[in-house]
Amino acid sequence: MKSNRLVRFFAVISLFFSVHSVALPQISPYQGLVPAEDSNEDKLREAALEQVLIKVSGNVDIVKLDGSKTLAKSIPDMLAQFGYQDINDKRFYFALFEKQAINSALNAMQQPIWGETRPSPLIWLVNEDRQLTSENMIDSSQDGAISWGLNKSQIERGITGKFPLVDLDDLLTVSVSDVSGRFYQTVADASKRYDAEYFVLANLTSINAQQWQLKWELVQYNAQSKKNQVLIKQTSNGDKAGVMSTMLGEIADYYAKQFAILENNGARSAQLLNINNINSLAKLMSINDILNNLNSVESFEVVSLDDKKLEVLVTLKGSLASLENALNAQPKLQKDLISTAPFYYNWQP
């Protein structure tokens, strides 16, 4: 079955990366990447398509639907680019699919579409040596298993995690005890320099030579209300790469529920956005880029710009909730707590 073949592909790719894991190039959710162990290009394309359907819909079970199996027959019409590339001295097949074709197919299957709103959670990880895991440790693959778990989540789910620098500034703000003791506000304060609305507090411990335990929590911090909300609290057991990948997979599931939209094919609704502190063309262009990349937005137009206050009329594909979730995930936009009306924001410097 196709799903079994996909599992086999990732078993092979795990071997490729497990010894000397390296950072992957940026991978679009619409790009599949599979090890080229099979010379049958049709099978490679089908595996790449299954991977893309999971990443774009956010639904790991989508490959079981009849619609995805039927879609495999139309792969040549959906391909934008394909070929082979070497990563870590291993050969991979990549296939980039047309965004509109994939989105149309998902709409036809009545599946949601998860766009570009994919926040990278900041991971405060206390490793088995009772140290905070730094960005440099990950970039230099000092622990290949952890790096592979991160790479696997990027390939399979289209989500990446980022790590703090753990430099003097960080060490003066947060400690191992703060992370292990779940002092949320202390960690939230340390996360401000990274513009991280979502951060993870995690402890990795060894059970035996092959088994590891990862206790972790995903926390969302609201900078204006200064409140922390624990969104997920889990304990995962397995090999080291597996528990890291499982954690990011569960975070991807949560994000998909928040940001993926099931397009409304009926009458379109509209919403007026009010954004304060817009006093330059650069800020206006930044808002233009944000709205262009929101999957819940079909179109938008500027209604007025007066005294640093911007009004934009947005026509929606999905619900108001999907728009609000996507806007709240933008680090430069903060809700205006003074206003009692919805969709009032302040642009942050």
Side-chain angles (χ1 to χ4, degrees), residues 9-10 13 17 24-25 27 31-35 47-48 51-52 55 85 87 92-95 155:
F9 276 134
F10 286 115
I13 201 173
F17 280 99
L24 291 174
I27 300 174
Q31 177 182 333
L33 181 70
V34 295
Q51 194 184 100
V52 166
K55 285 192 286 192
Q85 63 185 110
I87 302 176
F92 286 81
Y93 175 84
F94 72 88
I155 293 169

Side-chain angles (χ1 to χ4, degrees), residues 2 5 42-43 45-47 49-50 53 65-79 97 105 109:
K2 293 179 185 178
R5 183 169 64 250
D42 288 338
K43 292 181 179 179
R45 289 179 181 178
E46 287 182 25
L49 174 63
E50 290 179 349
L53 292 176
L65 300 179
D66 291 338
S68 353
K69 298 172 184 177
T70 304
L71 196 60
K73 300 175 183 177
S74 306
I75 287 179
D77 298 329
M78 296 187 293
L79 275 175
F97 292 86
M109 287 189 282

Side-chain angles (χ1 to χ4, degrees), residues 124-308:
W124 296 92
L125 172 66
V126 177
N127 60 32
E128 67 268 29
D129 296 323
R130 294 287 297 169
Q131 294 179 330
L132 289 174
T133 303
S134 68
E135 180 184 63
N136 181 62
M137 291 179 182
I138 298 300
D139 290 347
S140 60
S141 295
Q142 292 183 25
D143 191 319
I146 290 180
S147 297
W148 160 238
L150 299 170
N151 287 337
K152 189 169 183 286
S153 66
Q154 183 181 352
I155 293 169
E156 291 182 318
R157 303 303 306 275
I159 182 176
T160 59
K162 60 183 180 181
F163 286 77
L165 296 173
V166 195
D167 57 6
L168 182 59
D169 288 342
D170 283 339
L171 293 175
L172 288 174
T173 309
V174 68
S175 67
V176 166
S177 297
D178 292 324
V179 175
S180 299
R182 303 306 192 242
F183 290 97
Y184 302 120
Q185 190 56 51
T186 300
V187 179
D189 290 339
S191 303
K192 288 178 183 177
R193 66 185 295 205
Y194 302 99
D195 289 327
E197 180 186 3
Y198 297 90
F199 59 88
V200 172
L201 299 92
N203 291 78
L204 181 67
T205 55
S206 173
I207 299 174
N208 54 48
Q210 288 80 35
Q211 292 291 302
W212 298 80
Q213 183 176 83
L214 184 68
K215 292 185 177 180
W216 61 276
E217 297 178 21
L218 176 67
V219 181
Q220 184 179 21
Y221 174 66
N222 185 303
Q224 287 194 314
S225 66
K226 295 184 178 180
K227 293 182 179 179
N228 297 286
Q229 181 182 4
V230 178
L231 305 173
I232 308 174
K233 184 176 182 179
Q234 291 287 356
T235 298
S236 304
N237 295 325
D239 64 83
K240 191 183 289 188
V243 294
M244 293 299 297
S245 180
T246 297
M247 177 182 73
L248 284 165
E250 292 194 28
I251 293 173
D253 289 340
Y254 175 81
Y255 283 169
K257 290 177 183 177
Q258 297 300 306
F259 305 126
I261 68 161
L262 187 60
E263 186 169 335
N264 176 10
N265 293 319
R268 298 291 196 237
S269 61
Q271 175 62 46
L272 190 66
L273 305 183
N274 292 269
I275 306 173
N276 296 318
N277 303 329
I278 304 303
N279 56 2
S280 69
L281 179 60
K283 292 179 180 179
L284 193 60
M285 293 305 295
S286 295
I287 292 172
N288 183 80
D289 291 341
I290 288 173
L291 294 178
N292 269 327
N293 288 324
L294 292 188
N295 198 44
S296 55
V297 173
E298 180 176 80
S299 62
F300 59 92
E301 61 177 323
V302 173
V303 176
S304 67
L305 177 57
D306 182 40
D307 194 24
K308 301 181 183 179

